[in-house]
Amino acid sequence: MTYLLWGGKSATEHREMLEAAVEKEPVFANSDLYCLDRPGRHRRCMQKQRRVIELARELQVPRASVRAAVHDQLGTDLQDLMFLPNIRATFSEEQQAHWLPRAESWEVLGCYAQTELGHGSNVRALETTATYLPESDEFEIHSPTTTSTKWWPGALGRTANHAIVYARLILDGRDIGIHNFMVQIRDLETHRPLPGITVGDIGPKIGYNNQDNGFCRFDRVRIPRTNMAMKYATLSPAGEYTTLPARKVASYSSMTHVRVTIVVSSGLALSAACTIAVRYSAVRRQGFTSRGDGSEECVLDYAMQQHRLLPLVATSYAFHVSGQAMQRMAAGDDVEALHTASSGLKALCSRITSDGIEACRKACGGHGYLAVSGLPELLGNYIQNVTVEGENFVIAQQTTRGLLKQLARARAAALQGAHERPAAAAVAGREGDADYVHDLEGAVSARCTAQSAKDFLSPALQCEAYRQRAAWQLREVERELAEAEASGLPREDAWNAVGPDIIRASEAHCFHVLVRHFCDAVGELSRSARVSPAVAKALESCSCLFSLYWMQEGMGDFLQSGYLDVQQATMLRSAARGMLAVLRPDAVALVDAWGHSDHSLNSALGRHDGQVYEALYASAQGDVNPMNSEPVAPAFEESLKPMRSRL
């Protein structure tokens, strides 16, 4: 199973070799991580980044491979995730020839400065200005208001020396709209802020505190005209502006790239939380058994604990499968389809993963509240994903919008007597994921034929169920929008009024995609000789539990859509509960298969050797916990003793 998850035996062994090399390095030790303050965390993560570069050279492997073996957030991660991709996507070949070598050699260390104090998702309302000054052939970058302050860009606070700044292009007093500009913010030798730039860190966050998210204000800062990204928009020295239709799509390419990354990483993050919680639940004993011999019950044998954890184990595998599909899609050239798919899946996967990590923490009882459980750190670092690159309840709407456009095109083609489906039908990256738009009424009319709980174990039935709900939700949104507009509401106001159902339609479609991908992947593996029958069977059980559990959670939709009747709803619950018992014997093996090392989990509860209580006790000793570094705390002489003497 591990080889399947990580791309084969050779790739797995290479990954394990790099992880072992990283774990030998003192700078990568994490035993004191939970007791470091923010300056200490930033300093440590920069030390790690430097060693990553050195180690890659020593081992003669790509830097990205070593970085992947370091299971910690580094302050320069956005260099690869957003800064370099934005240069490649929006800067001309001549500009790339200038900037890419400098950035790849770490002379230019960048950040992506889009979000402002007053605006995030509404990019068109950003206030920072870039006014062209033809007499000097320069732009003047300016923050005209408090709310125009750049706020949240990662690495901006203390690390970056350049920023790709999104600002309003002003030509001859005319607002041309949002464009991106390369702006140097710190001196390359001293790292001090340049004149006219006020920059710093925005402060502690719930998590992800290795990253120096920052703020920046520009007081009429001058940059050369050639620092405007000019792959799809150009400005001559005379002030002549030209643009290409692809500019708008390209300007969002960096965000789309990050959304795909979030989908891909969601399965890995959720699997780490599941590994900690399942391993701990297999070790923990709580409550006496009915055997009467004084023995205590293994927590993982409680049906309620299985109900809390095993569906999340299955979900981590489902996310992994769809993440791979998203990567294949990102390698293609259908930007519109990628945007539509990545928007909804980013929102759904990040929400379920965030909630799932917290569910795993709660399932570990009181010990899960300790930082050394690893779960609070994992949760704090991950939950940023529900907001970054499109707040979930905003960005998920893009999936429904794309589906409605597809539906309109399908109907127009039908009216014209067309027999070929539009190329844009591959909304989620595979032909067929949104095929229901071509026969919406037929898809909605499907009804469950199950006559027993066993019938719900059919992958075909599960795929049909999610397809029917997705089609029904889309039809409902279309109907509600039409009724709202017929009542006199403008399109935007009608869209706002139907907002909650727009989100439901997005999630329904994305669940359909997840279930379909998982069922198809398991079916393909079962028919091939790539894995053993035992591995294929375990994956089949995960796929079945994933489909049935989330179908059960969305029971109201399946009843309201007419797919299920009340008796079948009872059968569904029984089928989902039965799958817990099927998965229980493989639970520990399924989380172990992800290959999370003790070093990467950094968890006293999730240790591979099961020595949970010894690890907890060790974490409280003075060599790790500074609160216990001396027998008497300074607070005694400062406060406790004077308090007592005054009684």
Side-chain angles (χ1 to χ4, degrees), residues 163-470:
I164 291 178
V165 176
Y166 277 69
R168 314 194 72 82
L169 173 59
I170 308 299
L171 295 178
D172 295 325
R174 295 178 294 118
D175 187 341
I176 308 300
I178 303 300
H179 290 65
N180 50 319
F181 304 82
M182 184 71 75
V183 182
Q184 184 175 345
I185 57 175
R186 289 184 169 95
D187 185 271
L188 297 185
E189 294 299 322
T190 67
H191 206 62
R192 297 185 66 84
L194 295 179
I197 291 176
T198 303
V199 62
D201 180 88
I202 64 173
K205 307 173 290 288
I206 291 176
Y208 208 62
N209 280 305
N210 289 2
Q211 183 64 260
D212 53 323
N213 295 87
F215 69 88
C216 188
R217 296 200 69 175
F218 304 95
D219 185 9
R220 306 190 185 284
V221 175
R222 299 286 186 92
I223 64 170
R225 173 184 54 83
T226 52
N227 278 26
M228 182 180 95
M230 292 197 190
K231 187 172 186 177
Y232 297 103
T234 60
L235 183 68
S236 72
E240 298 171 344
Y241 173 81
T242 58
T243 184
L244 295 175
R247 188 186 73 82
K248 182 178 180 181
V249 174
S251 66
Y252 289 98
S253 61
S254 297
M255 291 187 291
T256 302
H257 174 73
V258 177
R259 289 177 197 137
V260 172
T261 301
I262 290 171
V263 175
V264 171
S265 66
S266 60
L268 193 63
L270 184 56
S271 72
C274 289
T275 300
I276 296 170
V278 169
R279 284 180 177 174
Y280 176 61
S281 297
V283 170
R284 182 74 170 180
R285 299 292 187 271
Q286 192 75 28
F288 293 108
T289 67
S290 59
R291 293 189 291 271
D293 57 2
S295 61
E296 289 189 276
E297 195 75 65
C298 172
V299 169
L300 194 54
D301 286 333
Y302 283 103
M304 193 64 240
Q305 193 75 344
Q306 294 172 18
H307 177 78
R308 299 167 80 180
L309 294 178
L310 298 189
L312 295 175
V313 173
T315 299
S316 68
Y317 278 85
F319 286 176
H320 177 76
V321 170
S322 281
Q324 290 181 317
M326 288 295 296
Q327 286 180 314
R328 291 192 294 271
M329 185 179 183
D333 57 4
D334 194 338
V335 179
E336 179 186 356
L338 181 63
H339 171 66
T340 302
S342 65
S343 297
L345 283 171
K346 177 267 181 187
L348 181 63
C349 293
S350 65
R351 176 179 68 79
I352 290 177
T353 298
S354 298
D355 293 346
I357 296 171
E358 173 64 0
C360 287
R361 186 195 67 77
K362 291 176 180 176
C364 290
H367 293 330
Y369 195 67
L370 286 169
V372 293
S373 74
L375 290 164
E377 177 83 2
L378 179 60
L379 176 63
N381 289 341
Y382 186 83
I383 56 175
Q384 58 156 333
N385 290 307
V386 303
T387 305
V388 298
E389 309 317 317
E391 194 279 331
N392 277 359
F393 286 96
V394 174
I395 198 62
Q397 297 177 46
Q398 296 301 316
T399 293
T400 305
R401 195 184 301 276
L403 290 169
L404 288 170
K405 288 181 180 178
Q406 235 185 310
L407 179 59
R409 286 196 291 261
R411 286 195 169 132
L415 288 173
Q416 295 168 7
H419 298 289
E420 295 183 2
R421 296 176 180 174
V427 169
R430 296 157 24 115
E431 183 66 25
D433 281 339
D435 59 357
Y436 55 83
V437 302
H438 301 285
D439 182 19
L440 197 66
E441 294 305 319
V444 171
S445 66
R447 294 293 179 266
C448 181
T449 58
Q451 297 181 345
S452 68
K454 185 178 179 180
D455 292 338
F456 279 93
L457 306 184
S458 162
L461 184 149
Q462 294 159 15
C463 289
E464 178 190 69
Y466 281 93
R467 183 175 184 270
Q468 190 270 353
R469 182 180 67 164

Side-chain angles (χ1 to χ4, degrees), residues 400 403-404 407 436 440 444 466-480 498 500-509 554 556-558 560-561:
T400 305
L403 290 169
L404 288 170
L407 179 59
Y436 55 83
L440 197 66
V444 171
Y466 281 93
R467 183 175 184 270
Q468 190 270 353
R469 182 180 67 164
W472 172 74
Q473 289 280 17
L474 187 64
R475 188 185 69 175
E476 288 297 291
V477 166
E478 183 188 41
R479 178 185 59 78
E480 291 174 17
V498 183
D501 286 335
I502 288 170
I503 299 299
R504 291 173 67 196
S506 174
E507 291 202 349
H509 173 74
D557 286 348
F558 291 100
Q560 188 180 359
S561 71

Side-chain angles (χ1 to χ4, degrees), residues 407-638:
L407 179 59
R409 286 196 291 261
R411 286 195 169 132
L415 288 173
Q416 295 168 7
H419 298 289
E420 295 183 2
R421 296 176 180 174
V427 169
R430 296 157 24 115
E431 183 66 25
D433 281 339
D435 59 357
Y436 55 83
V437 302
H438 301 285
D439 182 19
L440 197 66
E441 294 305 319
V444 171
S445 66
R447 294 293 179 266
C448 181
T449 58
Q451 297 181 345
S452 68
K454 185 178 179 180
D455 292 338
F456 279 93
L457 306 184
S458 162
L461 184 149
Q462 294 159 15
C463 289
E464 178 190 69
Y466 281 93
R467 183 175 184 270
Q468 190 270 353
R469 182 180 67 164
W472 172 74
Q473 289 280 17
L474 187 64
R475 188 185 69 175
E476 288 297 291
V477 166
E478 183 188 41
R479 178 185 59 78
E480 291 174 17
L481 284 171
E483 290 178 354
E485 290 185 64
S487 70
L489 283 178
R491 179 71 176 184
E492 288 189 3
D493 291 340
W495 188 267
N496 177 50
V498 183
D501 286 335
I502 288 170
I503 299 299
R504 291 173 67 196
S506 174
E507 291 202 349
H509 173 74
C510 291
F511 265 119
H512 164 60
V513 171
L514 291 166
V515 169
R516 186 168 183 166
H517 284 178
F518 205 177
C519 287
D520 285 355
V522 170
E524 182 182 340
L525 284 171
S526 298
R527 292 187 296 271
S528 71
R530 289 176 55 200
V531 297
S532 69
V535 168
K537 183 63 178 177
L539 280 173
E540 182 182 327
S541 297
C542 281
S543 176
C544 193
L545 178 58
F546 172 76
S547 299
L548 297 181
Y549 174 80
W550 290 108
M551 190 174 175
Q552 171 188 275
E553 291 297 290
M555 185 83 77
D557 286 348
F558 291 100
L559 286 168
Q560 188 180 359
S561 71
Y563 185 76
L564 293 178
D565 61 30
V566 175
Q567 289 75 24
Q568 290 169 331
T570 302
M571 297 174 196
L572 170 61
R573 290 194 185 281
S574 177
R577 190 175 299 117
M579 286 306 304
L580 297 176
V582 172
L583 215 65
R584 166 61 183 97
D586 291 328
V588 174
L590 283 167
V591 297
D592 283 354
W594 285 93
H596 295 292
S597 66
D598 287 344
H599 180 266
S600 67
L601 292 176
N602 200 21
S603 167
L605 304 187
R607 291 174 59 95
H608 189 268
D609 61 10
Q611 301 298 308
V612 170
Y613 303 115
E614 293 81 357
L616 284 170
Y617 187 77
S619 72
Q621 305 313 302
D623 59 336
V624 177
N625 184 352
M627 286 289 285
N628 296 325
S629 61
E630 49 190 337
V632 179
F636 175 73
E637 293 293 342
E638 292 176 1

